[in-house]
Amino acid sequence: MKPFKILLTEHIDVNAMKTLEEYCTITQDVNEIDVVDGIIIRAEKVTRDMIAKAKNLKVIGKHGVGYDSIDIKAAKEYGINVVYTPQANIQSVGELIIALAMNMARNVSLSFERGKQDKNKTIAPKELTGYQLSKKTFGIVGAGKISRIAATIAKQGFNMEVLAYDPYISKEECDQLGIQKVDLDLLMTSADFVSISVPLTENTTHLINESKLQLMKPSAILINTSRGGVVDEEALYNALIHKHIYAAASDVFVKEPPTSENKLLSLENFVATPHIGANTHEAMALMGSTVVNEVLLVLRDEKPNYSVL
């Protein structure tokens, strides 16, 4: 008989699943939460009520970086370990930031959609004139590992100047990275591309709001791969429809996945992706193996490598 029981209702990498199955019985039935030793989640939530019902629970594993879907306060109160995979998807998300920047700057998605509707009446239509990335200014809101990957690509690939807003990083560290530490208002005013990469907290909810968007250049592009609530979606819609900024792209939304109910999706100067930042074969494999390993370490009373609690 396998010593541990895990609640897992979402798919993970096949090799990670095989490892998990070697040591654990896996259930997809949330009604069995009272007898599970661990929970592994991707997009699902772990609530206080779930934690209270899980009498045998020892660990919650987050398949990813952001753990705002877990009631951390409740986990702490009940003495539950929370582990995550902070290193596993950083390359994939960093690359997506640049992909979205290029898409919006060159109207790639819009060109395709117009073509499907027979709206492109000539080659190189004037209304699809875009911007080069070369020698522009790239602003990162949050200077963590994901932002640094995007910044490195921007600097080395496009010779861009990088500005960074992050209250938790020193000027000296920014100098070592070859980026300039600035306050948020100066970044919003100066950057041609603004990339958001911060966790969702009380302090970052609607960090990018109407007043911040009004500071941006009319030619500027906003990219959000962090969490939906960091950007005020109503304010962003107004900024885009009134052409206060050139374009925006978001991989994250308050309500996910985004549907036609979200009026941002009706705009030609906006592109939405359904939270695919970490959705590469490489990142999925690494996130899967990491979260399984971390969960098993806790269940064996060993010290995990990536612990939230």
Side-chain angles (χ1 to χ4, degrees):
M1 184 176 177
K2 296 174 184 177
F4 308 116
K5 190 164 189 174
I6 301 292
L7 175 64
L8 173 60
T9 62
E10 302 164 284
H11 79 273
I12 63 173
D13 176 70
V14 61
N15 291 320
M17 180 64 86
K18 287 178 181 177
T19 301
L20 191 63
E21 288 172 336
E22 286 183 32
Y23 302 99
C24 305
T25 301
I26 300 170
T27 180
Q28 294 184 326
D29 188 352
V30 178
N31 293 321
E32 294 186 24
I33 195 168
D34 59 323
V35 295
V36 301
D37 301 286
I39 300 172
I40 294 177
I41 63 164
R42 290 184 60 204
E44 295 287 351
K45 294 182 181 295
V46 179
T47 65
R48 173 177 289 274
D49 183 59
M50 292 171 68
I51 293 170
K53 289 178 180 177
K55 303 301 183 184
N56 293 340
L57 187 63
K58 301 174 185 66
V59 60
I60 301 166
K62 168 63 180 182
H63 183 286
V65 178
Y67 45 83
D68 49 282
S69 58
I70 300 169
D71 191 323
I72 297 295
K73 184 177 180 182
K76 187 174 183 179
E77 288 176 14
Y78 282 86
I80 309 302
N81 278 277
V82 179
V83 294
Y84 68 137
T85 65
Q87 306 286 343
N89 65 4
I90 57 175
Q91 184 67 36
S92 292
V93 181
E95 290 180 7
L96 180 67
I97 291 169
I98 300 301
L100 292 174
M102 296 178 71
N103 187 333
M104 303 315 297
R106 298 302 307 272
N107 296 304
V108 176
S109 292
L110 180 56
S111 296
F112 179 55
E113 290 302 321
R114 285 171 54 92
K116 289 196 296 184
Q117 300 169 32
D118 294 326
K119 289 184 177 180
N120 294 329
K121 303 302 182 183
T122 181
I123 64 167
K126 180 181 179 181
E127 59 271 24
L128 292 177
T129 305
Y131 292 95
Q132 292 185 170
L133 276 70
S134 177
K135 298 183 180 179
K136 297 295 193 302
T137 300
F138 190 74
I140 53 174
V141 179
K145 294 180 177 65
I146 290 171
S147 283
R148 295 181 192 189
I149 286 171
T152 298
I153 298 171
K155 282 170 56 67
Q156 296 182 357
F158 300 100
N159 197 25
M160 297 173 81
E161 177 186 6
V162 178
L163 306 180
Y165 165 74
D166 191 325
Y168 302 103
I169 188 174
S170 68
K171 180 182 182 301
E172 290 72 24
E173 190 172 359
C174 284
D175 290 343
Q176 291 174 3
L177 294 168
I179 61 181
Q180 182 181 350
K181 181 178 170 68
V182 297
D183 63 35
L184 183 55
D185 283 0
L186 180 57
L187 184 147
M188 299 301 287
T189 302
S190 306
D192 299 294
F193 297 85
V194 176
S195 174
I196 316 297
S197 296
V198 297
L200 180 62
T201 66
E202 290 183 4
N203 292 331
T204 62
T205 298
H206 286 186
L207 177 66
I208 307 302
N209 50 34
E210 181 181 1
S211 63
K212 299 305 180 190
L213 291 166
Q214 290 288 340
L215 295 174
M216 294 178 71
K217 301 175 183 179
S219 58
I221 294 169
L222 181 77
I223 302 149
N224 185 17
T225 58
S226 59
R227 286 293 183 267
V230 175
V231 175
D232 182 337
E233 292 182 6
E234 183 68 25
L236 179 58
Y237 175 82
N238 290 330
L240 289 167
I241 201 167
H242 295 300
K243 309 293 181 164
H244 294 315
I245 64 175
Y246 180 71
S250 186
D251 188 44
V252 289
F253 296 84
V254 173
K255 184 179 179 180
E256 294 183 335
T259 68
S260 57
E261 292 180 0
N262 189 323
K263 57 186 180 181
L264 281 166
L265 274 65
S266 68
L267 301 177
E268 287 193 335
N269 56 345
F270 182 79
V271 162
T273 49
H275 211 136
I276 62 168
N279 204 26
T280 63
H281 292 291
E282 296 86 353
M284 287 294 291
L286 190 52
M287 283 188 292
S289 62
T290 302
V291 74
V292 167
N293 182 63
E294 294 299 292
V295 166
L296 290 175
L297 284 172
V298 173
L299 293 177
R300 293 166 179 158
D301 294 323
E302 298 177 40
K303 183 178 175 61
N305 300 296
Y306 305 113
S307 180
V308 179
L309 293 175

